[in-house]
Amino acid sequence: MSKELFAAMYGMEHYHGVGALHVGDILFLVKDPDNRRDRHAIKVVIPPIGTVGYIVNDPYLTPHGCWTGLDFYDIFSQQTCAKVRFAMKDMIIVELIEIVQVPVPHMDTFITGWQSREKA
């Protein structure tokens, strides 16, 4: 990404908690158009754990300097990557990074596997 783009995560308490994430961790952001609450939802996934939260989409809950998921929903096709930059007591701030910077072999296979497991 040519410009730094930060986003906040929420919902970690419904999955593995904030403690499962650490500064420097690489995360996958995956569009979740089947989400009943938000058709522009972006879930946050860590291999092999699975979903660990969602990107905040409410402008009133988004911290200053962060984008909502809706703000950057259309700049990537199905998935992209982010790096944890700040970890607080109840919030994680991530920075979107180029997907080519992530050295994960067979990433498309991982993403497809997560999607099929979570729909089951």
Side-chain angles (χ1 to χ4, degrees):
M1 310 249 148
S2 59
K3 178 183 176 187
E4 292 179 339
L5 196 155
F6 295 95
M9 284 179 58
Y10 76 102
M12 289 84 64
E13 68 279 0
H14 299 294
Y15 299 96
H16 303 282
V18 175
L21 302 165
H22 302 81
V23 172
D25 285 351
I26 300 294
L27 312 169
F28 296 94
L29 307 183
V30 182
K31 290 182 178 180
D32 187 9
D34 297 330
N35 187 301
R36 287 185 255 169
R37 293 185 181 188
D38 181 0
R39 65 184 185 94
H40 292 105
I42 300 172
K43 62 182 161 184
V44 182
V45 180
I46 298 178
I49 297 173
T51 300
V52 293
Y54 278 82
I55 296 297
V56 175
N57 239 356
D58 184 338
Y60 295 107
L61 301 176
T62 304
H64 181 71
C66 289
W67 291 41
T68 66
L70 184 58
D71 291 334
F72 63 87
Y73 190 85
D74 291 328
I75 68 169
F76 65 98
S77 57
Q78 179 57 31
Q79 73 263 345
T80 192
C81 294
K83 184 179 268 191
V84 175
R85 291 298 187 191
F86 305 98
M88 293 159 278
K89 180 180 174 185
D90 59 351
M91 182 169 286
I92 299 290
I93 305 293
V94 300
E95 178 183 5
L96 271 71
I97 60 175
E98 294 289 345
I99 208 162
V100 295
Q101 294 177 1
V102 181
V104 177
H106 314 296
M107 184 179 61
D108 290 333
T109 305
F110 282 129
I111 297 295
T112 303
W114 295 323
Q115 290 172 333
S116 63
R117 277 197 311 266
E118 290 194 0
K119 286 183 180 180

